[in-house]
Amino acid sequence: MGEPTTFPLVLGLDTFGDVTYDDDNRPLSHAQTIRNIVEQGVLADQVGVDFFGIGEHHTDDFPLSASDVVLGAIAGRTTRVRLGSAVTVLSSDDPVRVFQRYSTLNAISGGRAEVILGRGSSIDSFPLFGYDLADYEELFEEKSHLFAELLKGGPVTWQGKTRASLSEQDVVPHTESGPFPAWIGVGGSPQSVIRAARHGFSLMLAIIGGSPSRFAPFSKLFHQALETLGHAALPIGVHSPGHVAATDEQAREEFWPRYLEVIRHVSKTRGFAVPTKASFLHEIGPHGALYVGSPETVAKKIAANLPALGANRFELKYGMGGLSHGALMTNIELYGTQVVPRVRELLHERGH
Amino acid sequence: MTGGAPRLPRIAVLGAGHVGPAIARVAIAAGHHVTIAASGDPEKIALITRVLVPGAESQWAADAVRDADIVVLAIPLHKFAAFDPALLAGKIVIDTMNYWPPTDGVQEMFEDRRYGSSEIVQRRLARSTIVKTFNHIGYHELEDERRPEGSPERRALGVAGDDPGAVDLVADVIERIGYDTVRLDSLSAGRLFEPGGPVFGASLPRTEFELALSVEPSSSRS
Ligand SMILES: NC(=O)c1ccc[n+]([C@@H]2O[C@H](COP(=O)([O-])OP(=O)(O)OC[C@H]3O[C@@H](n4cnc5c(N)ncnc54)[C@H](OP(=O)(O)O)[C@@H]3O)[C@@H](O)[C@H]2O)c1
């Protein structure tokens, strides 16, 4: 990308709250999994991770449906890490409530809240809350527009088909110092890139399969859309799955069987063929979307991909159903103490 | 049709979402003239087209279709019931759409399990010639997985249709884009490419693709 990276480098972690297993390979309870996530968030803060994000899901293997409550608990025990959703399924939520919850998190955390909005790949939320999947486009368009209005602060007037209209409505709590950062997560829909630009949200590229470089045109599309609209430049981030362990081999051996199991399950529900070991090895290589390996391997891949995508932020989605809490704590520690400083060093060397 | 002219078939892509621009890009790279249309004013997708598919032109759907030899239908399945069949009359149409209730929600029109989704599309677009392909490769893989002809790991895509001439025309486009093809002689047989089938999302060279299709119990209608 020709654009210089003018925004500060942010290196974060995301979790979808995958159920963790104990030493006897039995799934922990939903409650224990959630308490462990609080510990993981606290550790992330201690080891110097910049951002900790929690996704929204509604299934037995991802029991993390109320991310903001968990983030509130982490906020109470931390002082520096920024906290946010990854993502909030806005299409099946109420933008007013989302604003209220994250504005409250912003208050509790002393201004550390962010929100990443998604159209909804976690489709389980649609039937749960009584929405029709066929309406996702309209739901997301209207609700992201309302959310942009709410973020501006001040009384809101808004009209649409997907929720009650608002007239000069004061929505509380007010933020202390302007809007908190808001992003739109994009998996490959160009309309969503344009939408982010139009509403003034930053762009989070969710790259979960295939070559990261294929997203470079999306960054360009975002820049050009902002320019065409006469808006100032906004940050671009990358979210990708991975696993860090002491060595490449250990990371692969811990991650692969769990990944295969999870993908096998997803394959069944989505109807696609199960990936092979060869396709996995491709995904963790330089042209794939996964960041699995030693701190050095993972840092190098991050440092190579951010400039190529014109991005200044990376969020590693750590954890994979079945990994142990211990393995995840090690992952977080290695990420904070080794990957983060190494990426900074590598990008600095290259003059970014 | 091409009328025997040596030029490559002109392609119109309907849909500027995840899938449409990805197909348009590889078709341009293969040397085709490509137009792209969404449901409304081409102005709305002009920037997307310019940045993501340089070389393609965004048009109103009717204009794009009129001049095309092949139309790629890359719209969400739930929009199909309201789609006007007259728009595609007389055209060869690639149906990229999939029906998978867990992700699409239940669509009444496609619930008759005796027929594949493309057979139902063909019945509704009675004056068009439907060819089923591109539905079983991820849009994010389309560019990366291309390989030159003869390369040992070149991936195969299935191409199915009731009209052999149309199947061959489309298959030639796909070979030029960078994939081997496995041609099936009916849309009914093309059910093997659907979600839950043996090749959906699978990256296989031709012989393995054929093997995967053949070990599956016959796809004939029940
Ligand atoms: N996910 C995959 O990897 C994959 C692979 C192969 C095939 N598919 C199939 O590809 C199809 C498209 O999926 P998608 O994810 O690309 O959808 P999408 O991102 O929602 O985009 C849909 C596009 O279709 C346009 N459209 C809707 N109605 C139209 C109409 N009547 N005429 C012309 N354009 C119309 C929309 O334009 P407006 O905004 O103007 O309405 C939009 O540009 C689906 O049926 C899917 O099953 C998916």
Side-chain angles (χ1 to χ4, degrees):
Chain A
M1 300 278 319
E3 313 279 330
T5 315
T6 49
F7 298 98
L9 180 64
V10 174
L11 298 166
L13 287 169
D14 291 339
T15 174
F16 289 171
D18 311 51
V19 164
T20 38
Y21 284 33
D22 66 15
D23 294 337
D24 299 324
N25 208 27
R26 280 183 318 231
L28 298 177
S29 67
H30 291 178
Q32 188 57 48
T33 295
I34 286 171
R35 284 191 290 270
N36 286 348
I37 289 166
V38 175
E39 296 308 320
Q40 291 160 20
V42 171
L43 177 63
D45 180 72
Q46 288 165 357
V47 297
V49 174
D50 298 322
F51 174 85
F52 191 77
I54 304 186
E56 169 189 338
H57 291 268
H58 301 270
T59 56
D60 185 45
D61 35 1
F62 299 97
L64 230 173
S65 54
S67 318
D68 48 309
V69 178
V70 184
L71 291 167
I74 298 170
R77 290 179 51 192
T78 56
T79 54
R80 39 162 309 282
V81 69
R82 302 193 61 81
L83 300 165
S85 56
V87 303
T88 296
V89 185
L90 188 67
S91 313
S92 58
D93 210 327
D94 178 4
V96 173
R97 282 303 275 158
V98 174
F99 173 81
Q100 293 180 328
R101 300 198 306 258
Y102 282 86
S103 187
T104 301
L105 176 67
N106 205 43
I108 293 171
S109 64
R112 289 184 281 140
E114 306 200 6
V115 63
I116 305 176
L117 307 171
R119 188 174 72 170
S121 57
S122 161
I123 50 162
D124 25 274
S125 71
F126 280 74
L128 181 61
F129 298 117
Y131 291 98
D132 188 343
L133 265 170
D135 297 332
Y136 65 73
E137 190 65 35
E138 185 184 24
L139 284 163
F140 193 53
E141 176 51 33
E142 280 204 356
K143 291 182 175 190
S144 51
H145 175 232
L146 172 55
F147 196 78
E149 293 301 307
L150 288 158
L151 264 185
K152 288 178 188 161
V156 172
T157 299
W158 180 88
Q159 248 188 331
K161 290 187 217 147
T162 55
R163 96 176 287 293
S165 301
L166 298 173
S167 173
E168 287 294 306
Q169 180 69 49
D170 184 31
V171 178
V172 295
H174 300 159
T175 57
E176 273 166 326
S177 44
F180 47 85
W183 304 69
I184 283 193
V186 171
S189 161
Q191 288 110 320
S192 284
V193 175
I194 304 275
R195 179 178 294 120
R198 193 152 27 84
H199 297 317
F201 297 123
S202 300
L203 182 68
M204 183 62 66
L205 300 168
I207 307 180
I208 61 173
S211 134
S213 61
R214 82 191 153 83
F215 276 83
F218 278 66
S219 301
K220 190 168 164 201
L221 180 63
F222 187 57
H223 287 303
Q224 297 217 349
L226 287 170
E227 212 176 291
T228 307
L229 292 157
H231 294 177
L234 285 166
I236 295 176
V238 174
H239 154 111
S240 288
H243 182 64
V244 189
T247 64
D248 285 345
E249 198 189 357
Q250 190 186 344
R252 272 201 305 268
E253 276 172 14
E254 286 176 356
F255 191 77
W256 163 245
R258 304 304 185 175
Y259 176 74
L260 180 63
E261 218 26 66
V262 168
I263 298 290
R264 201 197 297 278
H265 184 72
V266 178
S267 297
K268 237 180 260 148
T269 55
R270 298 266 169 116
F272 57 73
V274 180
T276 59
K277 182 80 186 252
S279 68
F280 169 71
L281 292 176
H282 178 79
E283 284 291 4
I284 69 174
H287 304 295
L290 301 178
Y291 296 71
V292 175
S294 66
E296 180 66 14
T297 297
V298 169
K300 279 203 174 118
K301 191 161 172 177
I302 296 170
N305 282 333
L306 288 185
L309 293 167
N312 65 293
R313 171 158 168 152
F314 183 81
E315 295 176 15
L316 180 79
K317 187 268 169 185
Y318 74 93
M320 191 50 65
L323 284 170
S324 70
H325 174 54
L328 300 190
M329 293 295 268
T330 304
N331 178 344
I332 293 166
E333 186 172 350
L334 292 172
Y335 186 78
T337 58
Q338 297 187 37
V339 176
V340 168
R342 184 69 179 130
V343 173
R344 290 190 187 288
E345 188 177 70
L346 287 167
L347 288 177
H348 186 72
E349 278 168 16
R350 280 185 231 153
H352 287 279
Chain B
M1 293 287 306
T2 58
R7 69 169 173 82
L8 297 179
R10 296 166 68 98
I11 297 176
V13 176
L14 297 190
H18 299 78
V19 176
I23 293 177
R25 271 175 82 95
V26 294
I28 294 243
H32 291 269
H33 179 276
V34 176
T35 55
I36 183 159
S39 60
D41 192 332
E43 245 335 283
K44 281 207 271 186
I45 58 163
L47 187 61
I48 290 175
T49 306
R50 191 152 37 91
V51 177
L52 297 188
V53 203
E57 197 188 330
S58 56
Q59 294 188 343
W60 290 93
D63 297 333
V65 168
R66 190 179 319 110
D67 297 331
D69 302 304
I70 298 173
V71 180
V72 178
L73 196 54
I75 70 173
L77 194 79
H78 64 258
K79 293 280 166 87
F80 181 70
F83 186 86
D84 176 15
L87 182 68
L88 299 181
K91 295 292 173 181
I92 291 176
V93 176
I94 297 178
D95 176 18
T96 73
M97 300 183 294
N98 287 309
Y99 180 46
W100 190 246
T103 45
D104 299 317
V106 172
Q107 312 281 322
E108 218 34 68
M109 186 178 198
F110 290 92
E111 270 300 293
D112 186 344
R113 294 314 168 86
R114 288 170 305 167
Y115 303 106
S117 64
S118 292
E119 291 175 275
I120 292 169
V121 167
Q122 173 68 81
R123 239 186 340 191
R124 188 166 160 80
L125 302 182
R127 290 156 67 206
S128 312
T129 305
I130 305 299
V131 176
K132 183 181 191 66
T133 188
F134 281 137
N135 73 300
H136 53 291
I137 178 168
Y139 68 93
H140 60 282
E141 299 169 330
L142 257 180
E143 205 159 328
D144 280 357
E145 300 237 317
R146 291 173 301 170
R147 293 290 181 278
E149 200 179 343
S151 110
E153 84 273 29
R154 179 151 128 140
R155 179 172 177 172
L157 292 183
V159 183
D162 298 334
D163 179 324
V167 167
D168 286 343
L169 184 73
V170 169
D172 288 347
V173 171
I174 288 173
E175 302 246 351
R176 212 174 298 114
I177 283 174
Y179 296 91
D180 278 341
T181 56
V182 172
R183 307 175 192 202
L184 300 187
D185 62 6
S186 69
L187 287 174
S188 170
R191 294 171 69 177
L192 287 168
F193 309 159
E194 292 187 345
V199 296
F200 191 77
S203 181
L204 303 169
R206 185 178 8 221
T207 44
E208 287 175 41
F209 192 99
E210 284 167 341
L211 188 67
L213 293 183
S214 66
V215 295
E216 200 66 7
S218 161
S219 69
S220 59
R221 291 171 196 179
S222 44

